[in-house]
Amino acid sequence: VGILCSWPAAPASNPAAPAVSSSLLLPHGPLPSSLSQELETLVAHWNLYLNLAGFLVGLFSVTLLGPWSDSAGRRPALAIASLGMALQAAIFLAVMSLRLPVAWLLLGRILAGLSGDYNLILAASFAYTADVSDRRGRTFRVAVLEACLGLAGMGASLLGGQWRHAQGYAAPFWLAFSASLAAALYAAVCMRESVAPRQPTRLLTLRHYASVLRLYAPGARGWEWRKLLLYSLAFFLVVSVHFGASDLLVLYELSTPLCWGSELIGYGSAAHYLAYLSSLLGLRLLQNCLEDGWVAEAGLLSNVLGLGAIALASTTPLMFTGYGLLFLSMTVTPVIRSKLSRLVDEKEQGALFAAVACVEGLCSLVATGVFNSLYPASLSFMKGFPFLFGAVLLLVPAAIIGWIEIQDSKPDYSHFADMPGPLQEAEQ
């Protein structure tokens, strides 16, 4: 968004170039309302194009490279994805330096998508974590990895804005370019491989896509297959609510009756990201007395209470109370990832987390469409309705996880779920 809002004027001879110019920058004076609305619409459209380009291309590359890493190893997958991210950052820097048309950004997104993009980094990282952990300790290790994502987001939110004001838009992208290259070099040279023994396998083959489809195809796994589908549905709903609510928080804080300034918004963002650390500590403590499924239920309760308080927040203390109630909100997704990982074979971790990464990318698109449509539609009767809607929606994954835990706690009877019925026996 920052790049697009500060875009220089494109040559008039290029009809494909968008009409975003440096004359729209704030240093040149206040924006007329018509131009401001036109700029916001243009930025929103180009963000949609970029997101769709990355997601649609990445959908095919992640489901190819993720299963491929089950045989070829996690290191090559991580190195390829990191190089793709570095190439995207390089193209963005070239566009800013050479003042190329905005459409060149699509090339960067497509190239990053072909290399797996951020989703492949997530898929390979979580698969690596599953490779090097036992079944009991896997949930906490996955939570540590998600806490790292939260810390990175906190650092970016606190430093990114100040850095951009001090040195412009290019400097943060130089950091992204350098960090991506460093990650690729580390994955290729220093990181210890978790897949042993590695087997040479073809990359461009339909077998990799078939391995992802087999995970969700009905087969002989019975109850395990049903749990895979139910946990995937719960994951989709939880992540969609998380993305959708996060997209609206700053807009909600800026408007009446809160009317927060930049300082309070910074504090709110920090409080939001602190939930990653408090959830990690809470997960560690609760695992001493509860099964993972019930820890996830506690996290969902934290989510529901926090979103409910935010939906009704009319004062700053109540808003921060909502943030405080979210202290266990990030315990849910590590538990679900770990549960999913235990349902498949050790040689299918890459395929599984590639599918989960695609679901996560789909969650972002669905959440943006649903929650950003609900917010303006609900302003006339309840500004916080999208948060309340998210809290109610979380009751579905709570019911799913609770029901599975109850079924799994009946070892003397749960095996009957996979037995054939009388009609099936007669047919046999």
Side-chain angles (χ1 to χ4, degrees), residues 5 56 77 82 96 112 162 191 199 215 253 290 329 348 410:
C5 285
L56 294 177
S82 299
M96 283 185 283
Q162 299 297 327
M191 194 173 74
Q199 302 174 0
L215 294 175
E253 293 161 353
L290 295 175
S329 60
E348 297 177 314
K410 302 175 182 178

Side-chain angles (χ1 to χ4, degrees), residues 174-393:
W174 278 111
L175 175 62
F177 175 72
S178 304
S180 298
L181 280 183
L185 182 64
Y186 176 79
V189 177
C190 303
M191 194 173 74
R192 182 179 177 182
E193 182 57 70
S194 62
V195 175
R198 294 173 59 187
Q199 302 174 0
T201 183
R202 290 177 56 193
L203 174 59
L204 300 177
T205 173
L206 294 177
R207 288 182 301 171
H208 300 315
Y209 295 112
S211 63
V212 176
L213 294 176
R214 278 197 302 268
L215 294 175
Y216 293 95
R221 288 187 292 180
W223 174 235
E224 300 297 313
W225 171 72
R226 296 187 187 96
K227 287 199 294 184
L228 187 71
L229 292 181
L230 289 171
Y231 278 131
S232 298
L233 175 60
F235 182 83
F236 174 81
L237 294 174
V238 170
V239 176
S240 294
V241 170
H242 174 72
F243 284 161
S246 298
D247 282 348
L248 297 179
L249 280 174
V250 173
L251 186 61
Y252 186 69
E253 293 161 353
L254 283 170
S255 60
T256 56
L258 294 175
C259 299
W260 281 10
S262 58
E263 185 176 357
L264 279 175
I265 289 176
Y267 292 147
S269 178
H272 183 58
Y273 282 112
L274 279 176
Y276 284 89
L277 294 180
S278 60
S279 296
L280 180 64
L281 178 61
L283 176 66
R284 191 61 167 177
L285 294 176
L286 290 175
Q287 279 187 318
N288 295 325
C289 55
L290 295 175
E291 294 292 333
D292 285 351
W294 300 118
V295 175
E297 291 287 274
L300 286 167
L301 177 61
S302 173
N303 267 290
V304 170
L305 294 177
L307 291 176
I310 290 173
L312 301 174
S314 57
T315 63
T316 295
L318 186 56
M319 188 68 184
F320 277 103
T321 300
Y323 279 128
L325 290 172
L326 294 172
F327 73 107
L328 286 178
S329 60
M330 300 310 300
T331 60
V332 186
T333 50
V335 170
I336 297 178
R337 290 184 201 270
S338 178
K339 293 277 190 182
L340 288 169
S341 176
R342 298 173 196 173
L343 293 173
V344 301
D345 189 77
E346 295 300 322
K347 294 297 183 181
E348 297 177 314
Q349 299 296 323
L352 170 71
F353 284 110
V356 172
C358 291
V359 171
E360 199 163 354
L362 181 62
C363 289
S364 178
L365 293 177
V366 171
T368 300
V370 172
F371 280 81
N372 282 278
S373 299
L374 275 178
Y375 185 74
S378 61
L379 290 178
S380 59
F381 61 92
M382 183 181 182
K383 183 173 290 185
F385 178 77
F387 301 104
L388 188 61
F389 171 76
V392 173
L393 198 61

Side-chain angles (χ1 to χ4, degrees), residues 80-104:
I80 291 172
S82 299
L83 284 175
M85 297 291 287
L87 184 58
Q88 175 185 262
I91 291 176
F92 280 23
L93 285 168
V95 172
M96 283 185 283
S97 301
L98 303 177
R99 301 191 175 188
L100 300 175
V102 181
W104 281 90

Side-chain angles (χ1 to χ4, degrees), residues 22-31:
S22 56
S23 63
L24 296 180
L25 288 173
L26 289 177
H28 294 270
L31 291 176

